Amino acid sequence: MTAPDRSVIIIAATPTPNGDLHVGHMAGPYLAADIYARQLRADGVRATYTTVTDNSQSYVLTTAVRQGLSPQLLCDRSTAAIEQSLTALGIELTAPAGRVLPPVDDRYRAAITSFVRDLRDAGRLRERTVRLPYAEKSGRYLYDGLLTGRCPACDASSGGGACEDCGHPNNFDELLDPRHSLDPQETVVFREERLLVLPMEEYRAELTAHLDAVAGRWRPHPLRLARELLARPLPDIPVTFPGTWGVPAPFEDFAGQIVYPWAEAMPASMYATWWAHGSPADLPYDAFWKADREAELVYFHGFDNVYHWSVMDLVLLLAHGDRYIRPYASVCNEFYELEHAKFSTSRNHLIRAGDLVADVPRDIARYYLALTAPERERTNFDPAELAARPLAGAWNELAAVVDTALAGRDFQELLPVTDEGRRADARFAARLRACFTPETFSLARAARLIAERTAELRDTAAGFAAPGDFLLAVRTLLAWSAPILVDVGRQAAEDGVDLGLSGAPAVEKIAPFRLPRLPESAATHG
């Protein structure tokens, strides 16, 4: 498929609006997905990058209680903060002008209910009577963020739903020593309740075949977890659940229940994609995910969401038969740490994105987060390293070298490029391109290559056979850096520099240009 015909839908894990996003979140899915989307667009690909807040999560309830707020007020405040943080770090979601995130409104809720109603109408859901932990004094069934205990797979401390440490799920009564997270001393008993579930085991063959087909586009740790899950009986996915906060289940015989929050992610992402394209009234919420559109679907999420985003949600798509596209790739990150401990909102062990770029130029912050991205193992945010302004010194020295090389030249005069210059340039571009394919996706490697190439061009400018070869090399460096260095890229584009990455046709001559500098101090971003 040629670039103009290729369409890619990029989904970053839906953020829970129980607080602002911190640097740990940004260094995971949100920045990586943004850089990938920008690279694709520079390559001529139609890329839609979107997500939507996960308002129905029980973590909204628990945080609202602790802060003495209504859940809706917490959602509203948190969504506004999340939007500000995304904008501050230059995360550019596909959205109508003046907007950032889709509204969680009646159209959103209609998408959720339509998705689960279609599953039931197709006979995919089953009624199950299951044992659920119940807080007697509070009169509340416990699940996900309302529940704490020990993981039945690894014995680590865990919340309900899935273990953050090992990634294995726990449903219904499986969590060991269950306690009410809002009142750990409250008596917890088990009650039987009738639910609608989607039996994952019925999709084992399709699930296994799909994972085998995409295994080369997965990183080793999440792939190992998926194989571990397939090596044991697969759980039932709750589709409805007794609760009060969330989208009401659209079934009269399950009145009083909600759609299980983790069952919302796929229709929520379909709705967000539809909204990103302007909410076309003549198209249904799921139009852009229909299989006949042949779009590539790429997820960006953390290891703690492998079960939900890469396994459970795949089954929710498979249950609709051949109706929908299936994920082409899942780019999964590990935890990002601050002072060698996990970022934590509850312990106030964090740095918010807005605070980060208040002190450090946005491009330098984005570059440092890319350089230290937790791709295959946990990595650490070091304020001292960031304070040293990585890349800025060498980049600005290269800009000065470019100025010297162009001194006295007519900027209207095109400079010829030699065959050797084109070949050397293509070799560097190929190395960068490999960092942006799902099979070998690595922002950290891209950031290192950019730093190495910057220093190399700074030190060897005089050794180029022709000035045009040197300028071509600088322009290619600039073009591949622009998805990360968004303000430098914007300035270059405003100056008329071609930042396309397609590489065709071959460059015969190049117009002189100046390399925008990286700022030394933070400033208001355009």
Side-chain angles (χ1 to χ4, degrees):
M1 187 178 294
T2 63
D5 297 328
R6 185 179 170 204
S7 176
V8 181
I9 297 171
I10 302 164
I11 304 292
T14 50
T16 302
N18 64 335
D20 197 358
L21 294 175
H22 54 62
V23 170
H25 296 127
M26 292 298 187
Y30 302 106
L31 179 63
D34 176 70
I35 293 172
Y36 182 55
R38 289 173 182 270
Q39 182 271 323
L40 287 175
R41 293 183 192 120
D43 225 4
V45 177
R46 289 178 290 117
T48 302
Y49 172 30
T50 188
T51 189
V52 60
T53 53
D54 205 356
N55 291 23
S56 298
Q57 285 289 350
S58 55
Y59 301 97
V60 171
L61 277 178
T62 56
T63 303
V65 170
R66 292 180 179 121
Q67 295 185 4
L69 302 173
S70 72
Q72 188 58 56
L73 180 58
L74 176 63
C75 282
D76 293 343
R77 289 182 177 178
S78 299
T79 299
I82 289 168
E83 290 183 327
Q84 290 172 1
S85 291
L86 291 169
T87 300
L89 203 62
I91 309 297
E92 190 176 77
L93 298 170
T94 307
R99 302 297 299 269
V100 179
L101 289 168
V104 178
D105 54 15
D106 287 343
R107 297 175 303 173
Y108 172 93
R109 288 180 280 275
I112 305 303
T113 55
S114 177
F115 186 87
V116 298
R117 188 182 288 115
D118 286 349
L119 286 175
R120 195 176 194 192
D121 290 347
R124 305 296 188 179
L125 305 185
R126 305 283 184 270
E127 293 186 16
R128 294 277 194 272
T129 298
V130 299
R131 295 173 74 243
L132 301 176
Y134 183 80
E136 287 193 302
K137 185 173 70 174
S138 303
R140 171 182 283 157
Y141 285 100
L142 305 179
Y143 61 100
D144 296 353
L146 292 163
L147 187 62
T148 63
R150 291 185 294 112
C151 173
C154 72
D155 206 43
S157 176
S158 175
C163 176
E164 197 173 80
D165 281 7
C166 74
H168 283 259
N170 60 79
N171 281 342
F172 313 131
D173 61 351
E174 294 176 342
L175 194 67
L176 306 177
D177 299 331
R179 297 181 303 281
H180 185 188
S181 63
L182 290 173
D183 184 0
Q185 305 307 314
E186 184 174 0
T187 300
V188 174
V189 298
F190 290 95
R191 288 190 174 185
E192 290 191 344
E193 186 69 39
R194 189 172 61 96
L195 310 178
L196 281 174
V197 304
L198 179 63
M200 290 181 68
E201 192 61 47
E202 295 182 9
Y203 300 89
R204 173 178 289 277
E206 290 175 88
L207 177 60
T208 301
H210 178 82
L211 290 175
D212 286 345
V214 301
R217 295 187 284 274
W218 279 43
R219 289 170 175 159
H221 191 197
L223 182 61
R224 184 167 67 249
L225 172 57
R227 300 296 192 206
E228 289 173 3
L229 296 173
L230 284 165
R232 60 186 62 185
L234 295 168
D236 290 340
I237 301 171
V239 175
T240 68
F241 206 91
T244 58
W245 175 252
V247 178
F251 310 115
E252 291 184 5
D253 50 339
F254 288 87
Q257 295 192 13
I258 58 171
V259 175
Y260 182 58
W262 282 110
E264 288 189 26
M266 291 299 92
S269 298
M270 294 174 186
Y271 158 81
T273 307
W274 171 80
W275 179 85
H277 283 86
S279 310
D282 59 333
L283 294 176
Y285 78 96
D286 58 355
F288 296 93
W289 283 50
K290 295 290 182 63
D292 58 7
R293 284 185 175 259
E294 298 184 342
E296 286 180 15
L297 177 61
V298 181
Y299 298 150
F300 284 78
H301 59 81
F303 178 76
D304 53 335
N305 277 332
V306 170
Y307 166 68
H308 293 118
W309 276 88
S310 296
V311 180
M312 189 186 94
D313 288 337
L314 174 57
V315 173
L316 283 164
L317 294 177
L318 294 175
H320 284 272
D322 295 327
R323 183 174 183 176
Y324 296 126
I325 54 176
R326 295 165 187 180
Y328 176 79
S330 289
V331 181
C332 173
N333 60 272
E334 304 293 327
F335 287 111
Y336 198 49
E337 296 184 341
L338 173 63
E339 297 174 350
H340 300 286
K342 283 190 298 186
F343 280 79
S344 171
T345 302
S346 63
R347 293 186 291 108
N348 200 34
H349 182 71
L350 52 82
I351 299 172
R352 291 179 173 83
D355 295 335
L356 178 68
V357 296
D359 299 326
V360 177
R362 176 164 62 186
D363 278 356
I364 291 174
R366 285 173 62 99
Y367 177 80
Y368 180 73
L369 296 183
L371 181 68
T372 58
E375 296 174 344
R376 293 172 179 255
E377 60 185 4
R378 295 188 181 197
T379 55
N380 187 58
F381 177 91
D382 187 333
E385 286 182 351
L386 180 59
R389 303 294 195 262
L391 185 66
W395 184 276
N396 292 341
E397 289 163 4
L398 173 60
V401 170
V402 172
D403 288 347
T404 300
L406 295 176
R409 287 191 176 274
D410 180 358
F411 272 57
Q412 303 304 312
E413 179 185 351
L414 300 182
L415 301 176
V417 176
T418 70
D419 288 341
E420 176 53 34
R422 281 188 289 271
R423 285 193 293 269
D425 192 64
R427 287 194 294 271
F428 172 71
R431 294 173 69 196
L432 260 297
R433 184 173 295 281
C435 298
F436 290 96
T437 62
E439 292 84 353
T440 53
F441 187 86
S442 175
L443 295 184
R445 188 168 68 254
R448 289 193 297 270
L449 287 172
I450 287 168
E452 292 168 3
R453 186 63 165 168
T454 300
E456 178 187 5
L457 293 178
R458 176 198 62 191
D459 297 340
T460 63
F464 278 80
D469 291 359
F470 173 64
L471 273 186
L472 176 61
V474 172
R475 192 188 73 180
T476 299
L477 169 67
L478 174 59
W480 281 100
S481 301
I484 299 175
L485 309 178
V486 293
D487 293 317
V488 160
R490 176 174 51 81
Q491 182 61 59
E494 290 175 357
D495 292 344
V497 181
D498 178 8
L499 299 178
L501 298 175
S502 63
V507 177
E508 299 290 341
K509 294 182 178 182
I510 187 168
F513 64 92
R514 300 195 186 280
L515 179 64
R517 284 165 166 77
L518 282 166
E520 295 295 333
S521 60
T524 301
H525 309 293

